[in-house]
Amino acid sequence: MIQIQQAFQLQAFNTLHLQAVASHYVKVASVEALQEALDYASAQQLNVLILSGGSNILLPEYVHALIIHMDIQGIEVLAETDSHVSVHVGAGQNWHEFVLYSTAHHWFGLQNLALIPGLVGACPVQNIGAYGVEVGEFIEQVHVYDRELQQLTQLAAEQCHFSYRHSIFKEHPNRYVIVGVTFKLRKTPDLQLAYGDLRQAVGEEQTAENLQKQVIAIRQSKLPDPAEFPNVGSFFKNPLISQAQYQQLAQLYPNLPHYPQKNGAVKIAAGWLIDQAGWKGKRLGAVGMFARQALVLVNYESANLTDVQQTYRAVQAAVQQKFNIVLEPEPVLFNESGLIQSHVSV
Ligand code: EPU
């Protein structure tokens, strides 16, 4: 039996700490409860907003919809060979705790992704990535409830269209509810140390445990703890520009951090652009860009969505004026009917 709550305050359930009241809220700990909640929403003609860890969302002050908070737990080994293990994890498991669990079990691959806030069920949506690793590389299957076909099914990794901060779940935002993820992890370490100063930080002690420890240390040194400075991680994606545009910019800014892509485009560090545009550590009212990592937007006082939008639009405008690059926000924006909205760019 599910328990629907009304006029529910979501401030504690989004890491940006935006004040947001939902008309209807329910926490679901099983697939059956999820189905019951979806049935309730259709009977009441309510839109559905799937809430996971709340670490990548922007909410308006009032949402007329049924918020379904995913709380499906469980970690289960499905298959094991000499080289790999397949592990099924419920969507509601905490991501960082699962990474620690995998390392403790000598399952390798996810160590670079330690300390990313959020729950397992959200990790495929934006294909979370850090320090040279993207989660899609270690996903075997994503288990979903397909709202269009009204049935449980799974998508193999190849069907998920994983690329930088992108997946099929962004292409069809209202179709799939992720109920679990099966990871395929290695049983022998193959440490990914290509990112910046990671190799140096790891030093002689090239173990997965030490790699995980160093990733945690780097994140803690740069990124604000949401409990202290409410934030949603990187607020903008690193933009992709053409080789020609990069060449032009590089003449003016030879130090511009850039990462050539396989398809010929060039990825640029948005944090550097924001920094150079004068926004590192700068605030507009209650909202500003963090002083140790300009890519992270922080809610310093009790901001609402309008305050956040005023600041990030000012940042977009400053970057566009200086570099002629439009930064695209990374978090998912919901409207008052609980539907995903595109960000209006400058
Ligand atoms: N930079 C500056 N000033 C700043 C911030 C960055 O000059 O204020 C420069 C840095 O010196 C560096 C470059 O920009 O040369 C890149 O910075 P960093 O290595 O900190 O990484 P990022 O590109 O800003 C991305 C991800 C992070 C991830 C890190 C490490 C995106 C949008 N962000 O950030 O992901 O942890 O790389 O791999 O791709 C997240 O998505 O929430 C997130 C934290």
Side-chain angles (χ1 to χ4, degrees):
M1 237 340 241
I2 53 166
Q3 277 197 332
I4 309 275
Q5 299 184 57
Q6 299 204 0
F8 190 86
Q9 176 57 258
L10 293 170
Q11 193 180 27
F13 298 104
N14 73 101
T15 61
L16 198 52
H17 250 232
L18 296 177
Q19 305 254 6
V21 172
S23 62
H24 299 76
Y25 168 96
V26 65
K27 198 169 188 168
V28 299
S30 67
V31 170
E32 296 70 35
L34 168 67
Q35 279 168 321
E36 224 183 296
L38 291 169
D39 288 346
Y40 175 88
S42 356
Q44 302 291 318
Q45 298 189 316
L46 288 167
N47 290 324
V48 162
L49 188 165
I50 302 294
L51 177 65
S52 184
S55 54
N56 201 41
I57 56 170
L58 300 178
L59 297 171
E61 282 181 286
Y62 182 73
V63 186
H64 185 77
L66 174 63
I67 313 297
I68 301 185
H69 201 169
M70 297 302 288
D71 190 30
I72 300 175
Q73 302 294 315
I75 301 179
E76 189 190 351
V77 173
L78 300 181
E80 198 162 353
T81 65
D82 286 346
S83 60
H84 288 89
V85 59
S86 294
V87 200
H88 180 267
V89 186
Q93 289 282 157
N94 177 279
W95 170 259
H96 177 61
E97 281 168 21
F98 173 61
V99 173
L100 297 181
Y101 182 95
S102 72
T103 307
H105 283 74
H106 305 291
W107 300 334
F108 304 111
L110 304 180
Q111 287 70 34
N112 299 50
L113 306 177
L115 211 63
I116 295 181
L119 306 181
V120 166
C123 79
V125 178
Q126 62 152 340
N127 185 20
I128 57 171
Y131 310 108
V133 171
E134 289 182 351
V135 76
E137 301 164 41
F138 296 97
I139 288 178
E140 195 165 62
Q141 281 185 331
V142 179
H143 304 264
V144 296
Y145 180 80
D146 183 335
R147 295 178 61 195
E148 206 170 285
L149 303 179
Q150 299 193 0
Q151 65 185 34
L152 283 169
T153 181
Q154 51 267 323
L155 300 178
E158 308 77 65
Q159 296 172 286
C160 291
H161 304 169
F162 290 128
S163 60
Y164 172 64
R165 296 295 191 268
H166 181 81
S167 73
I168 192 167
F169 308 106
K170 293 223 148 179
E171 294 164 19
H172 304 280
N174 296 313
R175 178 162 177 186
Y176 303 107
V177 183
I178 297 171
V179 296
V181 180
T182 301
F183 297 92
K184 187 173 180 182
L185 302 176
R186 286 193 290 263
K187 286 173 71 177
T188 42
D190 174 17
L191 309 188
Q192 297 301 312
L193 302 173
Y195 169 86
D197 32 12
L198 195 54
R199 186 180 296 275
Q200 211 184 333
V202 167
E204 300 283 286
E205 200 192 323
Q206 300 213 347
T207 63
E209 290 76 10
N210 188 36
L211 169 59
Q212 175 174 273
K213 189 170 143 195
Q214 299 308 326
V215 165
I216 292 173
I218 294 177
R219 289 190 77 93
Q220 283 174 336
S221 71
K222 287 189 189 174
L223 299 169
D225 177 359
E228 199 182 346
F229 297 109
N231 72 84
V232 284
S234 298
F235 194 85
F236 297 101
K237 290 183 203 171
N238 284 332
L240 290 163
I241 63 174
S242 67
Q243 183 64 239
Q245 192 179 0
Y246 168 69
Q247 295 299 348
Q248 270 184 350
L249 276 170
Q251 285 184 357
L252 293 170
Y253 309 100
N255 298 331
L256 175 66
H258 63 287
Y259 317 95
Q261 304 295 294
K262 286 192 199 102
N263 62 4
V266 184
K267 196 195 273 180
I268 302 294
W272 188 91
L273 299 174
I274 297 167
D275 191 345
Q276 296 295 310
W279 269 91
K280 187 170 187 164
K282 186 170 161 177
R283 271 172 75 161
L284 180 65
V287 181
M289 305 311 286
F290 194 55
R292 270 182 280 141
Q293 165 48 296
L295 192 49
V296 180
L297 176 143
V298 174
N299 172 9
Y300 288 99
E301 289 160 40
S302 25
N304 61 21
L305 181 58
T306 310
D307 301 322
V308 169
Q309 285 173 323
Q310 266 171 8
T311 299
Y312 86 65
R313 286 181 184 147
V315 173
Q316 282 178 314
V319 167
Q320 189 175 19
Q321 198 185 12
K322 192 168 165 95
F323 298 104
N324 194 25
I325 292 177
V326 178
L327 293 180
E328 190 192 337
E330 194 190 66
V332 179
L333 172 67
F334 289 93
N335 69 14
E336 295 193 345
S337 312
L339 297 176
I340 292 173
Q341 286 278 96
S342 73
H343 292 269
V344 184
S345 57
V346 282

